[in-house]
Amino acid sequence: MADKAKQLPKDAFEPLSDGAHLDNEKIAAPSLTFVKDSWRRLKKNKAAMISLYILIFLFVVSFGSALIPAFSSISTHPNLNNLPPRIPGIDIPGFNGTLVQGGARVNAYTGAAANHYFWLGSDYLGRDLFARTLFGTRISLLIAVVATFFDLTIGVAYGIISGWIGGKVDTFMQRIIEILLSIPNLVVMILLLLVLKPGIPAIIIAIAFTSWINMARLVRAQTLELKSQEFVLAARSLGESSFKIAFKHLLPNLTSVIIINTMFTIPSAIFFEAFLSFIGIGVPAPAASLGTLISNGQKSFQFLPYQMWVPAIVLSLLMIAFNILGDGLRDAFDPKSRE
């Protein structure tokens, strides 16, 4: 009786149709390439995405302002010098054209300045600080592009060739890098000033002289590690040339390292240009650089602090954004951070 009670009814189970069990073998997650998977992880990093949007905004505003006549040409107006920021329709202290004199807040936009609006104020020659800050930001981003170019050309090629060939060639190429590292960038810049005039060309040559070294050393180390992998041995077995193996098989595997190191090289190049301009051997007048604006603003910082705060904030924003984005790219390209 107990055995009969334990028996299940005949309709307790339903037969499976042909192929119904195949659904259990399907992959639930979508197929992602390495780039798509890295972009998915990067989008989850809110700080990195905010930094990316900030950099895109600065690129668009600074380079786009060159197409607007009001911001592309910076003229002097001695009768409008040292005016505080004034934005139309805003009546907030600090942005309404008023400043404190003798313990009382007065309107600085009187007389000839009554119909003018300087969104970030004017300097000692009556030049629009907003237009000059955009010009200085454009120079800093240009330096960033130049540093990236030399990193991706000289640095990557030098590192791959040194690591791939190895032997005496690698030893000789590394000794050259050690010699270049022993010469400070400031000394290189001063020596270039003996031949070239101060300006963007001299700064670009100084950056081209040493900015690619860290990239070359990093790429060389990664190349030494990758060239002993099985996929390189397979390519050699198929008879592919060394040049094709280095730039077709090794370079894609070095992409993440190259991008991450580039993002950390850019802030150093921007700070280098700003420092040279700050001490007076960078971009010459009347051209504006963030370093030049900070140098001019610190002379009257006690009475007109906005003249230094504005370019200093923009320079800090650029460097912090590049560094945070670099951290985000490092986490995105690192497979160990996969959730």
Side-chain angles (χ1 to χ4, degrees):
M1 294 294 292
D3 293 338
K4 292 182 179 180
K6 293 180 180 180
Q7 291 180 355
L8 297 174
K10 294 181 179 182
D11 58 349
F13 298 97
E14 295 181 1
L16 291 174
S17 60
D18 293 340
H21 64 285
L22 297 179
D23 291 337
N24 298 329
E25 304 295 332
K26 291 183 178 180
I27 300 176
S31 179
L32 296 175
T33 63
F34 176 74
V35 175
K36 290 182 179 179
D37 193 29
S38 300
W39 174 247
R40 178 183 62 85
R41 288 198 295 270
L42 181 64
K43 289 192 295 185
K44 293 182 179 180
N45 191 331
K46 295 182 179 180
M49 291 303 298
I50 293 174
S51 299
L52 178 61
Y53 294 143
I54 290 174
L55 292 175
I56 293 174
F57 174 78
L58 290 176
F59 263 101
V60 172
V61 172
S62 60
F63 285 97
S65 64
L67 304 176
I68 303 175
F71 299 122
S72 59
S73 60
I74 303 173
S75 56
T76 60
H77 304 280
N79 58 331
L80 303 176
N81 63 320
N82 295 329
L83 291 175
R86 183 188 186 191
I87 302 176
I90 296 181
D91 191 17
I92 300 176
F95 296 98
N96 59 358
T98 61
L99 48 79
V100 178
Q101 290 183 349
R105 182 168 293 275
V106 297
N107 183 13
Y109 285 78
T110 58
N115 297 323
H116 290 80
Y117 290 92
F118 293 105
W119 289 7
L120 297 180
S122 62
D123 64 1
Y124 65 99
L125 291 177
R127 293 172 294 190
D128 189 356
L129 278 179
F130 182 62
R132 300 198 78 203
T133 302
L134 290 177
F135 189 91
T137 305
R138 191 156 62 245
I139 289 181
S140 295
L141 293 177
L142 177 62
I143 295 298
V145 172
V146 169
T148 303
F149 172 77
F150 288 115
D151 261 11
L152 298 180
T153 52
I154 301 177
V156 173
Y158 195 97
I160 290 180
I161 293 172
S162 178
W164 177 255
I165 297 177
K168 294 182 179 179
V169 175
D170 179 38
T171 302
F172 176 74
M173 295 178 72
Q174 293 308 304
R175 297 297 84 78
I176 294 176
I177 286 182
E178 291 175 0
I179 293 173
L180 293 177
L181 280 175
S182 64
I183 306 175
N185 289 345
L186 186 58
V187 175
V188 174
M189 188 64 198
I190 294 175
L191 293 176
L192 287 174
L193 290 178
L194 299 176
V195 182
L196 303 174
K197 294 181 180 180
I200 294 296
I203 295 176
I204 289 177
I205 294 175
I207 291 176
F209 196 75
T210 56
S211 67
W212 53 270
I213 293 178
N214 289 332
M215 175 68 79
R217 298 180 69 183
L218 184 60
V219 170
R220 169 189 173 268
Q222 293 296 316
T223 301
L224 290 173
E225 180 180 351
L226 290 174
K227 75 176 186 178
S228 60
Q229 299 294 323
E230 289 78 5
F231 69 91
V232 176
L233 178 61
R236 282 178 171 175
S237 302
L238 293 174
E240 293 189 355
S241 63
S242 297
F243 179 84
K244 188 175 182 180
I245 294 174
F247 289 92
K248 181 181 178 181
H249 299 284
L250 290 181
L251 190 58
N253 288 278
L254 294 170
T255 303
S256 60
V257 175
I258 293 171
I259 293 176
I260 293 169
N261 190 71
T262 300
M263 298 306 298
F264 288 113
T265 302
I266 290 174
S268 300
I270 293 176
F271 181 78
F272 177 63
E273 181 277 325
F275 172 73
L276 293 177
S277 298
F278 181 82
I279 62 178
I281 61 175
V283 179
S289 167
L290 293 178
T292 305
L293 295 177
I294 295 174
S295 177
N296 294 336
Q298 63 91 21
K299 298 175 183 177
S300 57
F301 178 75
Q302 184 176 358
F303 305 101
L304 303 169
Y306 64 89
Q307 292 188 1
M308 192 188 81
W309 277 121
V310 173
I313 290 174
V314 174
L315 178 62
S316 301
L317 196 62
L318 273 174
M319 298 185 64
I320 293 173
F322 274 115
N323 277 294
I324 293 178
L325 181 58
D327 286 334
L329 289 173
R330 181 185 59 195
D331 296 337
F333 282 115
D334 185 8
K336 296 179 181 179
S337 66
R338 191 188 305 269
E339 297 179 356

